[in-house]
Amino acid sequence: MHLYHEHATPPPHAGSPKHTRGRHSALRIGLGGPVGSGKTATVAALCRSLNEDLDLAVVTNDIYTREDAEFLIQEAVLPPERITAVETGACPHTAIRDDISANLEAIETLENSGGPLDLILVESGGDNLTATFSQGLVDAQIFVIDVAAGDDIPRKGGPGVTTADLLVINKIDLARYVGSDLEAMANDAKAQRGELPVMFTSLARTDGIDEVAQWARQQLHLRSRHTV
Amino acid sequence: MLTNTAAGTSSSKAMLLVLADGRFPSGNHAHSGGAEAAVHLGQITNANSLESFCRARLNTTGLVMTAVAAAAASGIDALLLDDAVDARTPSPSLRATGRKLGRQLLRAARATWPDTSLDRLATERPHGLHQPIVLGLAAAAAGLHREDAAAVSAYETVNSPISAAIRLLGIDPFEASGILARLAPELDAVTARAVESSERAERHGITALPRTATPLLEINAEWHATWQRRLFAS
Ligand SMILES: Nc1nc2c(ncn2[C@@H]2O[C@H](COP(=O)(O)OP(=O)(O)O)[C@@H](O)[C@H]2O)c(=O)[nH]1
Ligand SMILES: [Mg+2]
């Protein structure tokens, strides 16, 4: 994919956000999607699943509190110094796309203070279906939607649904209570995304994150192949 | 297109627009320039009180920061200027915010106008310099003059609370643009005063820089920094 090549080519000039990244800087995965779809729950589950053999950190972009960061700290998925909250000035999509400076600074601070990291998860403040991450901020992005917000979201599309490197359709344990048609969602997602992967998850189950965690490991593997 | 400066040489108008553009990615969008606290205290409630707030900010702390931007653009020592801004900013949270915005602007400026003196600054001062100093140095790296740096700084002083107030209070965006247009002559006047004091500072030392302040903004900032829930970082 687009981003894995950049590490192989020398930077055209020093100073731009991407080019200040060292060879050994961590892989960055962004998690976007509407409020309440399960982004923080996904981050927490990913940390629990990958924590054992990987050095992880998290950046949250809450809209007007530090709740996501505090939830993650309370859940003790990572030590507090590995979790940073960025403030977004009522515009969460601006902070992950149009003006990524505060997020980049948070990432660099995490990398410089905690020794080398393998993976940094950047959670966006819940936003609308058009909010996607800048290529200058993350290497890959996951878009998280859920079955309870209506099964027509994949059909409606939008940049998050159609272009994210991974689409996660979460809370499938609730599908039968809200009358969501998972098969139709899968077909619509396929129509919007072609070959790009889609995963159905329930984080109510203990093994609910496994497939997504596997995908994250694969991203790390892909990247290390391109950096040697 | 080129603009004339006091020195008679010219700088690029297009380059000035790049630096002044609200979309220049330097982290400003997350800051309200004191507007969020002022809205909560009932000091800004509508377009009229927003205009008064901006005028007060512009002529006090705005003048200081604008003069500092002009001084940095003209080559006065950045580290001395940083001390001067510290001395003129009693609120520790505002000092921290100023440095944070300075770091973020430096990142954007280095990527936009590759320049060895900006690189050196980033290495020498990893914790950052106050934003107006970086603004002045970025302007210089972009081939702009002190007048340009000062104009951008003055504009940011009022543009930041105005765009925040649009989001916080739902101020009519057309009215907001009207405020900016009405303030334009005052922005020019502050820019001119700031440039003059930066010239005085070159001759007589940085104590010649203005020291006007708005204690209420400093007090509000300390209070705002303690909030559990807020939309803006400052
Ligand atoms: N039933 C069910 N609830 C979930 C699932 N994933 C998350 N939740 C709950 O949905 C709510 C919102 O999740 P959160 O991760 O905070 O959403 P975010 O706003 O996208 O970060 C929380 O109460 C979670 O516990 C799931 O797979 N099934
Ligand atoms: Mg969340």
Side-chain angles (χ1 to χ4, degrees), chain B residues 62-113:
Chain B
L63 173 66
V64 175
M65 298 310 163
T66 300
V68 168
S74 67
I76 294 184
D77 186 82
L79 303 186
L80 278 179
L81 286 171
D82 203 48
D83 291 342
V85 175
D86 270 349
R88 287 162 175 75
T89 313
S91 153
S93 345
L94 278 185
R95 291 201 296 272
T97 297
R99 289 227 164 75
K100 186 179 179 71
L101 285 171
R103 287 194 302 272
Q104 294 180 1
L105 177 59
L106 185 58
R107 173 194 300 283
R110 288 173 70 201
T112 312
W113 297 285

Side-chain angles (χ1 to χ4, degrees), chain A:
Chain A
M1 270 228 37
H2 48 280
L3 291 148
Y4 300 116
H5 312 297
E6 77 193 28
H7 307 282
T9 49
H13 64 257
S16 88
K18 278 190 200 168
H19 304 128
T20 54
R21 291 179 67 174
R23 279 176 78 80
H24 302 289
S25 61
L27 181 77
R28 305 168 187 173
I29 296 181
L31 292 100
V35 180
S37 63
K39 296 179 296 299
T40 305
T42 303
V43 167
L46 277 174
C47 289
R48 284 195 198 96
S49 168
L50 301 170
N51 208 2
E52 224 158 76
D53 58 317
L54 295 174
D55 280 310
L56 306 171
V58 173
V59 178
T60 63
N61 283 257
D62 282 323
I63 305 180
Y64 68 107
T65 64
R66 290 174 40 87
E67 247 162 57
D68 284 349
E70 266 147 31
F71 174 82
L72 294 170
I73 290 169
Q74 262 162 33
E75 292 286 295
V77 294
L78 290 179
E81 66 274 14
R82 291 284 183 89
I83 301 168
T84 300
V86 163
E87 288 176 289
T88 59
C91 265
H93 54 270
T94 305
I96 60 160
R97 188 183 54 205
D98 309 66
D99 185 351
I100 57 179
S101 46
N103 270 293
L104 287 175
E105 183 169 297
I107 286 174
E108 278 171 17
T109 307
L110 285 166
E111 290 203 281
N112 294 337
S113 57
L117 296 170
D118 299 303
L119 175 63
I120 299 176
L121 301 172
V122 184
E123 180 186 341
S124 84
D127 210 315
N128 59 44
L129 296 174
T130 64
T132 49
F133 284 84
S134 161
Q135 297 180 17
L137 180 59
V138 299
D139 301 298
Q141 48 192 310
I142 304 176
F143 202 71
V144 183
I145 60 174
D146 72 280
V147 303
D151 59 9
D152 54 351
I153 289 182
R155 185 175 51 72
K156 287 181 187 159
V161 166
T162 51
T163 66
D165 300 286
L166 172 63
L167 177 66
V168 168
I169 301 177
N170 187 33
K171 305 193 192 180
I172 53 170
D173 53 298
L174 300 181
R176 60 199 175 105
Y177 303 109
V178 295
S180 283
D181 182 342
L182 294 183
E183 206 179 304
M185 288 182 97
N187 289 336
D188 290 341
K190 170 90 186 146
Q192 295 282 359
R193 295 174 53 79
E195 294 308 310
L196 288 171
V198 180
M199 291 173 190
F200 285 85
T201 56
S202 167
L203 300 177
R205 297 173 44 154
T206 41
D207 62 348
I209 199 67
D210 291 359
E211 204 187 353
V212 179
Q214 203 47 47
W215 177 86
R217 286 188 187 280
Q218 197 190 336
Q219 302 304 306
L220 275 162
H221 179 68
L222 274 171
R223 180 165 185 266
S224 63
R225 272 211 327 234
H226 282 275
T227 37
V228 264

